[in-house]
Amino acid sequence: MSQQGTTKQQVDDEFVVDTEDCEERERAYRERGTARPITVVGNPVLHKECQDVTEFGDELAALIDDMFASQRAAEGVGLAANQIGVDLKVFVYDCLDDEGVRHVGVVCNPVLEELPADRRVLDDSNEGCLSVPTAYCELARPDYAVVRGQDAEGNPITVRGTGYFARCLQHETDHLYGYLYIDRLSKRDRKDVLRQMAEGTARYETVPND
């Protein structure tokens, strides 16, 4: 998703601690990794459900490092593996919530919880995507999100977010199931977003759709 560690294993209703030592944890990931170019809308890997992560070892750890490096190079707040061409259900994030609190973390095999009707308060802020560079559009999403999944070692975790961070969690989970935010727009708004993208120039390296 484009801009506008210390963990705890899930126990009952506990949520992952992703607000501590953010600068140090993000830097450690990023400095071990290598930035990769970003895939853009039209690339087949973005338009299908990714494979589940089943191996939690050195290869996954190296991928996560590269994802943090790629996210920082592109100045994003969230990045899914298929956005650097990898067909696996994992995303990383480095995102502020609406209170200005920074969240940094990794989620493998995420599942977004369905909110009960009385918890669904929609926020229609602008949304952008590193895979749809230079384009933005308003999109209504719930202002609270809970994602269940696994950390980089395979331990179960639950992440919750409010405001902009909630949008990030929903946006990145969508990616891993083959959906971009523009797939949730009206035909008219989608056409406008693609026009914005065609007229703009990405500020980071992208993978051309040959």
Side-chain angles (χ1 to χ4, degrees), residues 28-94:
Y29 285 123
R30 171 168 43 89
E31 291 181 348
R32 290 191 301 261
T34 300
R36 305 192 199 180
I38 304 296
T39 55
V40 297
V41 58
N43 189 306
V45 74
L46 294 174
H47 301 282
K48 65 183 183 70
E49 182 175 345
C50 293
Q51 297 183 62
D52 289 344
V53 176
T54 57
E55 299 290 334
F56 297 87
D58 292 345
E59 190 172 337
L60 176 63
L63 170 63
I64 290 168
D65 290 342
D66 285 358
M67 290 174 68
F68 272 102
S70 303
Q71 175 178 254
R72 174 58 70 95
E75 299 178 14
V77 298
L79 186 75
N82 53 356
Q83 291 185 273
I84 56 169
V86 178
D87 182 15
L88 280 177
K89 282 182 183 164
V90 54
F91 72 78
V92 303
Y93 59 88
D94 181 0

Side-chain angles (χ1 to χ4, degrees), residues 163-179:
Y164 188 55
F165 182 41
R167 181 176 296 274
C168 176
L169 292 174
Q170 294 168 82
H171 179 110
E172 302 308 331
T173 300
D174 270 356
H175 267 304
L176 300 177
Y177 290 87
Y179 296 99

Side-chain angles (χ1 to χ4, degrees), residues 6-198:
T6 300
T7 61
K8 286 184 179 179
Q9 184 170 338
Q10 174 197 350
V11 179
D12 298 327
D13 293 327
E14 289 188 7
F15 294 91
V16 70
V17 177
D18 58 7
T19 57
E20 296 178 355
D21 305 319
C22 288
E23 184 68 27
E24 294 82 357
R25 291 189 293 113
E26 190 275 338
R27 183 189 302 114
Y29 285 123
R30 171 168 43 89
E31 291 181 348
R32 290 191 301 261
T34 300
R36 305 192 199 180
I38 304 296
T39 55
V40 297
V41 58
N43 189 306
V45 74
L46 294 174
H47 301 282
K48 65 183 183 70
E49 182 175 345
C50 293
Q51 297 183 62
D52 289 344
V53 176
T54 57
E55 299 290 334
F56 297 87
D58 292 345
E59 190 172 337
L60 176 63
L63 170 63
I64 290 168
D65 290 342
D66 285 358
M67 290 174 68
F68 272 102
S70 303
Q71 175 178 254
R72 174 58 70 95
E75 299 178 14
V77 298
L79 186 75
N82 53 356
Q83 291 185 273
I84 56 169
V86 178
D87 182 15
L88 280 177
K89 282 182 183 164
V90 54
F91 72 78
V92 303
Y93 59 88
D94 181 0
C95 186
L96 300 179
D97 61 27
D98 284 1
E99 284 70 50
V101 177
R102 185 178 181 184
H103 300 260
V104 171
V106 179
V107 184
C108 301
N109 304 322
V111 176
L112 182 67
E113 284 195 353
E114 285 291 332
L115 292 178
D118 62 352
R119 294 296 304 272
R120 289 177 61 87
V121 178
L122 295 181
D123 170 16
D124 60 357
S125 297
N126 262 6
E127 190 158 326
C129 179
L130 296 178
S131 292
V132 192
T134 74
Y136 299 89
C137 187
E138 289 184 356
L139 175 62
R141 288 192 190 265
D143 68 354
Y144 178 80
V146 175
V147 170
R148 298 188 183 275
Q150 294 165 281
D151 65 15
E153 287 75 43
N155 300 309
I157 56 171
T158 305
V159 185
R160 64 175 167 184
T162 59
Y164 188 55
F165 182 41
R167 181 176 296 274
C168 176
L169 292 174
Q170 294 168 82
H171 179 110
E172 302 308 331
T173 300
D174 270 356
H175 267 304
L176 300 177
Y177 290 87
Y179 296 99
L180 283 78
Y181 86 97
I182 63 173
D183 297 324
R184 297 186 177 277
L185 300 176
S186 67
K187 289 183 179 179
R188 179 178 179 179
D189 285 344
R190 179 188 172 98
K191 183 178 180 180
D192 180 63
V193 165
L194 294 176
R195 176 192 58 76
Q196 292 179 53
M197 176 180 164

